[in-house]
Amino acid sequence: MKQFLLLMTLLSFLLPGKALYAQSGKTVQGMLRDKESRVVAGASVQLIAGTDTAGTSSTQAGIFTFENVNAQAFKIKVTSLGFEPFEKEFSFSTGQDKLIIPSFELQGIENMLEEVVINGVVTVQVKGDTVEYATKNLKLREGSVAEDALKKLQGVEVDKDGNVTAQGESVTRVRINGKDFFGGDVKTATQNLPANIIEKMQIVDDYGDMANLTGNKNGESTKVLNIQIDPQYNKGYMTTLRVGAGTEERYQATGMLMALNNKTQVSVLGNLNNMNANLFDFSAMGGGARNRQGGGGGRGGNPWSGTSGLTNTGSLGLNIRHDFSEKLKVYGSYSFGRDDNHVLGQSIRTTTLEGDLTQVDNSQDTSNTINTNHRFEANVEWNITDKDYIKITPQFGFGGNDQNALTYSSSLLGGVLNNTQTQNALSTSTTPRYGVSGLYNRKLNDKGRNFFLNFNYDNAIAESDYNTTLDRLIADPNNADQTMQSIYEQTIREVQNKSWNAGGTLSYTEPIGEKGRVELTYDLNTNDYDNHDAQQAFDGRGTILNDQKLNYSYDYDYSFTTHRAGASYSHRGDKLIYSLGAAVQPSVLSGNAYSGNMSEIIDRKNFNIIPIARFEYKFSSQKNISINYSGSATEPSVTQILPFDVSTIRTITTIGNPDLDPEFNHRVQARFRSGNFQKGNTFFAMVNANLTNDKIVSFNKTYNDQSEQNLGLLNEIRYLNETAEPVYGVNSFYHFGKSIKDKTYNISLMGGISYNKNISYVSTDPDAVTGEKNIANNLVFNQGLMFRYNPSENLEINPGIRYVYNYTNNSTREQANNVQSWTPNLIGSVNISATTIFGVDVSKTFNNGYGAGIDANPFIINTYLEQRFLKGQRGTLRLQAFDLLNEQTNISRTVEQNFILDSQTNRLGRYFMLTFTFKLQKFSGVNPFQEDRGPGGMRRPRM
């Protein structure tokens, strides 16, 4: 490992290039001011000579300095928030060693200069879909990382697990200088990038590469964090090494190296610990040049939930970017991770049946899961000419999973014990995947005529083996003293799922006048699935069970193809921007399913007319509103469409529906941004609404087995399209922030309301064709109040409180379910001396309304004492105490169409840890007389 780190450091500095600097060069110095002769601090200043560039920033006095300049002639380029870019050429006179440049007068941008706030207040700009924050004057301690800076930005929140939300929406990707960093992993960048090298942060509503190139923003946006590095740090390196050991056999070893040489960036990250501190997120591949589409089903999660269980993790990653020229740029990354996770949990699942009848399942489980992942991504961007641009993105990945799970559960039907069971499930799976995407953009003239083309192809093969044993005891509801009947079964299952997705988009844009344009688009997308599923079942003697539900072999192959053609008109004025149009989208869902001598043909055709609508109005440079509509079709999943009985155990059967239509989802999003950044006021609000046509819902039949086997309670799951009633949801968020006295005092008030209407069908009749409709209305209200006192880098106190109320009502039951929680907290740190820091993180959660045995009200106390030493405070010893009262828990509630699941799992408990951190940072562009926050890098594990 040491040799590898050394090699990467040497490579980054041995790249070819002209020598802009020499040991005995010349000096260039100048001053920046505005038209009212006020100094401009924190501006980015570049000295450009030939193909070489050096960067720095203006000091608080507006002065910039370049030492050891070897070039005779050069160009000075200045950029600063709120000012027009400035550049001018200069040269040394014969025999001149120091050039003092007269003051530059920067010209303010109309309607934007009012946002440039001095005297320490963070500068903020609203630029359409982007909110931009300058970070130079944030009150950050030495050693801070990007995450610490994010916590001080209005409208941005970072939870205890490192998840970032901005203006109420999750940040899904991170870029550095506009390019993906380690595939866009959010925490990889925010928890490892030193804060002192950051010039500004941008929260972007990103509509993809097509919108960025053509200017036409259709479809849904995602929240992206773009981190801009200060140009003065474009040549040099930084490194952080940390080792630690603690009680409960806790350990940590992490390392980070980031080397930059103007046109080249190399980053190496390594991580080894048993404290649930993952380095990479392998849940998805990167974005590529075209957004992937389709896929039956979705995923979601609670943004405040934490990692379940205890995890031993090891990770290693390499990220490289190199600009061969202004026209050709290459960047990519390789990431490896291995997680060994142990979970202890308990849950209560309440299923709504007909009338007042309910089924309550109590379970306790333990599991061990080992995940191994490899991910490689590369991007090639080539500006062939001033009018032609190409981007190619190949991606490769491999995932492996091994799991051993043991579960004990009991089921009560109508309050009477029905059965108990013990299940042991072993599984192993591998998932290799690869893909490539690309785009080509051609500017046909300078007035907006444009041609755009993109494509993608992705392929994945998942192979899984399952070995499950089940020992079930059936109770006699009419005779509690009767010995319970025992049922034992073992199933061995093999599954192979092959899938690929391919598509492409064509776009032609024609300008209409100075502010208008017409866009014609065509999009083709295909998702193809080829699957094999086979299972055999055995009794306790190893004899094959005579049960067709448990012994089966299925093959199914189907595809979902959509064609979408549309036309829209866009107007871009000084204040009003809008797009109006329509698209037509025919779709075909077709395929076959086979099982022995049985077969089923899948053939469904649909046609949708999709409005194209986007509206944005700028009240001022600090206030705007935007409204956007998008629509998309989603095909049924394999489980939902397979028309045969699939039973991994005899008591649960899933039967798909080959006549299902695809869902079509309509989404409308409105965003409002406003603030007087000069006075430290910000306000953000957003509302999302969705309506689904032909929603695929479940039909759940639960009944007692009446056969001679008397298997107890049986569950049968089917699927159908809901056509009688709309299925919809609305969620909202707001944030108001107020900063007082040079951001010494900060108050944030935030919250939101969400409502979702879900539909399912339930029955206790095994012969029922249609069940009783259950409408589940779910309302969630959350509110937070935060205060920050931050007079200097040496003292910060953050008290706050959060409240969450979750209400669910099912139409088939009169009883409503609601849970609520209050969580007051206090986070603070203080410098006891110049090199000694004390910090604390205290929170108390009051939970109410969870199932019996699940309620918990943990009081969590984390604290640390840190001592810094060595030259430049490069060394740090930290003694940390985690969860002093040992009350850490992980509670969650899941609300679905016909059931509510309350669960609790173990989390990392009390331990003490001593860590040593060594940091080293050296950049040739940094002015040695300029104030700096010192070297940062690598966030410590969460308190």
Side-chain angles (χ1 to χ4, degrees):
M1 182 65 180
K2 293 181 180 179
Q3 290 85 349
F4 179 72
L5 295 177
L6 178 60
L7 176 61
M8 296 311 302
T9 304
L10 291 174
L11 285 175
S12 67
F13 287 102
L14 291 176
L15 291 170
K18 297 180 181 179
L20 176 61
Y21 287 95
Q23 293 299 315
S24 58
K26 304 172 184 179
T27 300
V28 176
Q29 190 175 78
M31 174 181 284
L32 305 178
R33 60 183 178 87
D34 62 15
K35 64 181 181 180
E36 297 181 8
S37 296
R38 296 175 299 190
V39 299
V40 179
S44 295
V45 185
Q46 292 181 310
L47 189 151
I48 304 170
T51 59
D52 295 308
T53 301
T56 186
S57 295
S58 57
T59 67
Q60 293 296 322
I63 296 173
F64 64 88
T65 305
F66 292 96
E67 303 283 356
N68 300 321
V69 178
N70 195 40
Q72 185 69 24
F74 55 90
K75 179 193 296 182
I76 294 293
K77 183 177 181 180
V78 181
T79 57
S80 183
L81 294 172
F83 294 95
E84 297 285 358
F86 176 91
E87 60 180 60
K88 188 175 181 180
E89 294 184 353
F90 299 90
S91 62
F92 287 96
S93 301
T94 304
Q96 186 180 17
D97 294 327
K98 186 173 183 179
L99 178 60
I100 305 297
I101 301 174
S103 297
F104 293 154
E105 183 178 295
L106 302 183
Q107 299 297 318
I109 300 175
E110 186 178 358
N111 296 324
M112 194 174 291
L113 185 58
E114 60 188 10
E115 299 169 11
V116 179
V117 185
I118 56 177
N119 298 326
V121 180
V122 178
T123 305
V124 184
Q125 291 187 57
V126 176
K127 299 179 178 179
D129 295 318
T130 300
V131 180
E132 185 174 276
Y133 305 84
T135 61
K136 281 297 179 183
N137 294 312
L138 291 178
K139 299 170 184 177
L140 296 170
R141 279 194 177 87
E142 294 182 4
S144 295
V145 292
E147 182 178 277
D148 300 309
L150 283 169
K151 292 178 180 179
K152 295 179 181 290
L153 305 182
Q154 293 284 10
V156 180
E157 293 184 77
V158 183
D159 69 14
K160 288 182 178 295
D161 297 303
N163 302 304
V164 181
T165 58
Q167 300 141 38
E169 299 175 73
S170 296
V171 174
T172 58
R173 301 186 66 77
V174 169
R175 295 170 181 151
I176 294 181
N177 292 342
K179 310 300 180 185
D180 283 351
F181 182 72
F182 280 102
D185 267 353
V186 176
K187 299 178 189 178
T188 303
T190 60
Q191 296 180 0
N192 292 284
L193 193 67
N196 68 300
I197 72 170
I198 299 173
E199 180 184 32
K200 56 189 174 183
M201 293 178 165
Q202 298 172 324
I203 301 295
V204 183
D205 295 325
D206 186 64
Y207 289 84
D209 284 328
M210 180 175 172
N212 296 334
L213 289 168
T214 67
N216 292 336
K217 301 172 182 178
N218 297 319
E220 288 188 279
S221 66
T222 58
K223 274 285 188 292
V224 173
L225 169 64
N226 182 44
I227 299 174
Q228 293 285 351
I229 303 298
D230 192 322
Q232 67 178 323
Y233 293 97
N234 280 338
K235 189 172 184 179
Y237 67 88
M238 69 195 80
T239 183
T240 301
L241 302 174
R242 179 175 295 119
V243 294
T247 60
E248 307 299 323
E249 299 182 346
R250 300 287 166 233
Y251 63 85
Q252 177 191 17
T254 58
M256 188 263 308
L257 168 69
M258 188 172 187
L260 304 95
N261 189 13
N262 290 328
K263 297 181 179 180
T264 303
Q265 297 177 9
V266 178
S267 299
V268 181
L269 298 174
N271 178 30
L272 192 66
N273 69 81
N274 61 354
M275 302 182 303
N276 296 1
N278 296 315
L279 187 59
F280 302 115
D281 177 13
F282 292 97
S283 61
M285 300 288 281
R290 183 176 191 265
N291 293 330
R292 276 65 174 173
Q293 302 179 27
R299 63 174 184 267
N302 181 354
W304 290 283
S305 66
T307 303
S308 297
L310 305 177
T311 303
N312 299 340
T313 185
S315 308
L316 182 66
L318 171 68
N319 188 90
I320 298 177
R321 172 180 175 177
H322 181 66
D323 297 348
F324 290 93
S325 66
E326 289 296 324
K327 293 186 176 182
L328 181 60
K329 301 177 182 180
V330 178
Y331 55 98
S333 65
Y334 167 76
S335 306
F336 166 79
R338 183 184 186 275
D339 296 332
D340 188 349
N341 176 251
H342 296 262
V343 177
L344 300 174
Q346 59 176 323
S347 64
I348 300 175
R349 174 172 168 151
T350 304
T351 304
T352 302
L353 304 175
E354 287 182 307
D356 295 329
L357 187 62
T358 59
Q359 174 188 333
V360 179
D361 298 307
N362 292 271
S363 65
Q364 295 81 39
D365 57 83
T366 177
S367 67
N368 173 227
T369 305
I370 298 176
N371 286 311
T372 303
N373 289 281
H374 301 263
R375 180 182 65 197
F376 169 79
E377 300 182 7
N379 295 270
V380 179
E381 296 184 8
W382 184 20
N383 287 283
I384 306 173
T385 67
D386 293 339
K387 297 182 178 181
D388 297 276
Y389 170 77
I390 287 179
K391 179 180 179 180
I392 301 293
T393 304
Q395 300 174 328
F396 304 91
F398 178 86
N401 177 282
D402 294 285
Q403 186 178 66
N404 185 348
L406 179 64
T407 302
Y408 172 79
S409 63
S410 61
S411 294
L412 288 83
L413 183 63
V416 179
L417 178 65
N418 184 278
N419 67 80
T420 65
Q421 67 180 31
T422 301
Q423 178 176 290
N424 185 214
L426 304 174
S427 66
T428 180
S429 64
T430 59
T431 310
R433 60 190 186 277
Y434 62 89
V436 62
S437 62
L439 65 84
Y440 168 72
N441 190 75
R442 167 73 176 178
K443 295 181 180 180
L444 299 175
N445 65 21
D446 296 330
K447 296 181 179 181
R449 183 177 297 163
N450 194 85
F451 174 77
F452 176 89
L453 163 70
N454 69 12
F455 72 90
N456 79 282
Y457 175 79
D458 298 280
N459 189 297
I461 301 175
E463 296 183 338
S464 305
D465 296 312
Y466 303 89
N467 188 335
T468 304
T469 58
L470 176 68
D471 192 356
R472 194 175 220 213
L473 299 176
I474 310 298
D476 185 349
N478 300 315
N479 188 353
D481 297 328
Q482 179 71 29
T483 301
M484 292 195 291
Q485 176 187 353
S486 176
I487 297 177
Y488 177 90
E489 64 190 36
Q490 179 186 19
T491 57
I492 297 176
R493 183 184 179 202
E494 295 181 356
V495 179
Q496 184 183 72
N497 295 322
K498 299 179 181 179
S499 63
W500 59 264
N501 165 256
T505 301
L506 295 173
S507 168
Y508 174 78
T509 304
E510 179 68 26
I512 305 294
E514 294 184 0
K515 298 182 178 181
R517 65 177 67 181
V518 171
E519 182 183 29
L520 304 177
T521 61
Y522 170 74
D523 182 273
L524 169 66
N525 192 78
T526 297
N527 294 307
D528 188 89
Y529 307 90
D530 185 1
N531 302 276
H532 173 74
D533 190 344
Q535 178 177 277
Q536 279 191 314
F538 306 88
D539 61 17
R541 298 184 299 273
T543 303
I544 295 179
L545 290 171
N546 185 22
D547 191 323
Q548 291 184 350
K549 289 185 177 181
L550 294 178
N551 294 279
Y552 59 78
S553 178
Y554 302 134
D555 292 279
Y556 35 105
D557 183 0
Y558 73 101
S559 64
F560 180 61
T561 301
T562 61
H563 300 263
R564 176 169 173 164
S568 64
Y569 172 78
S570 299
H571 172 85
R572 180 173 292 272
D574 295 334
K575 288 184 173 292
L576 178 63
I577 301 173
Y578 65 86
S579 297
L580 294 173
V584 294
Q585 180 177 280
S587 63
V588 178
L589 178 64
S590 62
N592 297 276
Y594 305 94
S595 177
N597 58 359
M598 297 185 298
S599 64
E600 189 76 38
I601 297 175
I602 303 167
D603 187 13
R604 307 291 290 171
K605 295 180 175 65
N606 295 84
F607 185 85
N608 294 289
I609 298 177
I610 307 170
I612 298 173
R614 174 178 167 79
F615 169 87
E616 180 180 339
Y617 185 76
K618 299 178 182 179
F619 300 95
S620 69
S621 60
Q622 297 182 355
K623 182 189 298 185
N624 67 26
I625 187 172
S626 63
I627 302 173
N628 185 66
Y629 166 86
S630 62
S632 61
T634 303
E635 73 274 23
S637 68
V638 171
T639 301
Q640 294 169 337
I641 206 170
L642 180 66
F644 307 121
D645 294 358
V646 177
S647 302
T648 55
I649 59 177
R650 278 183 285 182
T651 57
I652 301 177
T653 302
T654 301
I655 304 174
N657 180 0
D659 296 324
L660 285 176
D661 281 320
E663 298 178 347
F664 192 87
N665 191 253
H666 305 268
R667 294 174 294 273
V668 176
Q669 183 177 70
R671 295 187 178 100
F672 178 75
R673 303 178 179 94
S674 177
N676 187 333
F677 303 119
Q678 209 168 5
K679 297 181 179 179
N681 298 340
T682 57
F683 180 77
F684 302 102
M686 71 93 179
V687 177
N688 288 325
N690 65 84
L691 173 66
T692 304
N693 295 335
D694 297 321
K695 176 71 175 179
I696 299 174
V697 300
S698 63
F699 173 26
N700 295 273
K701 293 193 283 186
T702 304
Y703 50 89
N704 270 307
D705 182 24
Q706 303 299 322
S707 68
E708 295 180 358
Q709 292 179 305
N710 187 23
L711 298 176
L713 200 64
L714 302 182
N715 292 275
E716 183 180 308
I717 306 170
R718 296 175 180 266
Y719 298 95
L720 56 114
N721 289 111
E722 174 57 38
T723 58
E725 287 196 50
V727 178
Y728 57 87
V730 179
N731 69 84
S732 63
F733 171 84
Y734 80 93
H735 176 280
F736 173 76
K738 175 71 174 178
S739 300
I740 306 172
K741 198 178 179 180
D742 200 17
K743 294 195 87 64
T744 297
Y745 305 94
N746 297 269
I747 301 173
S748 296
L749 183 67
M750 75 289 290
I753 298 176
S754 66
Y755 168 78
N756 288 283
K757 175 185 176 182
N758 294 308
I759 293 178
S760 64
Y761 291 83
V762 294
S763 177
T764 56
D765 181 1
D767 298 320
V769 178
T770 58
E772 180 182 6
K773 180 183 291 188
N774 177 58
I775 300 177
N777 298 290
N778 176 239
L779 177 70
V780 179
F781 169 78
N782 65 82
Q783 182 64 57
L785 175 63
M786 306 295 169
F787 175 79
R788 180 168 69 244
Y789 176 63
N790 190 195
S792 70
E793 295 86 348
N794 299 323
L795 176 63
E796 182 173 352
I797 302 174
N798 297 271
I801 187 169
R802 285 188 181 275
Y803 172 73
V804 179
Y805 176 77
N806 191 324
Y807 171 88
T808 302
N809 175 266
N810 290 280
S811 62
T812 56
R813 298 173 57 200
E814 295 182 358
Q815 181 182 0
N817 296 275
N818 64 80
V819 297
Q820 55 184 324
S821 65
W822 291 89
T823 307
N825 67 283
L826 174 66
I827 302 173
S829 60
V830 60
N831 277 65
I832 301 174
S833 70
T835 58
T836 306
I837 303 170
F838 172 75
V840 67
D841 183 347
V842 179
S843 66
K844 172 68 176 178
T845 301
F846 300 92
N847 292 305
N848 187 2
Y850 288 95
I854 297 294
D855 276 323
N857 303 305
F859 185 25
I860 309 300
I861 303 175
N862 303 314
T863 186
Y864 69 89
L865 183 65
E866 181 175 290
Q867 179 63 48
R868 299 179 177 181
F869 56 98
L870 300 180
K871 183 179 179 181
Q873 300 186 16
R874 293 173 178 171
T876 302
L877 275 177
R878 173 183 270 212
L879 178 63
Q880 299 168 280
F882 295 83
D883 191 12
L884 281 173
L885 303 182
N886 203 30
E887 294 190 6
Q888 184 73 273
T889 59
N890 189 24
I891 296 176
S892 67
R893 164 161 286 200
T894 302
V895 180
E896 291 293 344
Q897 295 167 336
N898 70 317
F899 72 85
I900 297 175
L901 176 65
D902 293 325
S903 60
Q904 179 178 356
T905 61
N906 63 321
R907 287 196 66 182
L908 204 59
R910 176 174 55 205
Y911 69 97
F912 300 85
M913 192 163 198
L914 181 66
T915 60
F916 169 72
T917 304
F918 178 78
K919 302 173 183 177
L920 185 62
Q921 187 179 102
K922 184 177 181 180
F923 292 93
S924 61
V926 177
N927 186 341
F929 301 104
Q930 182 178 325
E931 289 188 8
D932 193 72
R933 289 193 291 262
M938 295 207 71
R939 191 194 193 283
R940 299 171 182 84
R942 306 219 158 242
M943 291 201 305

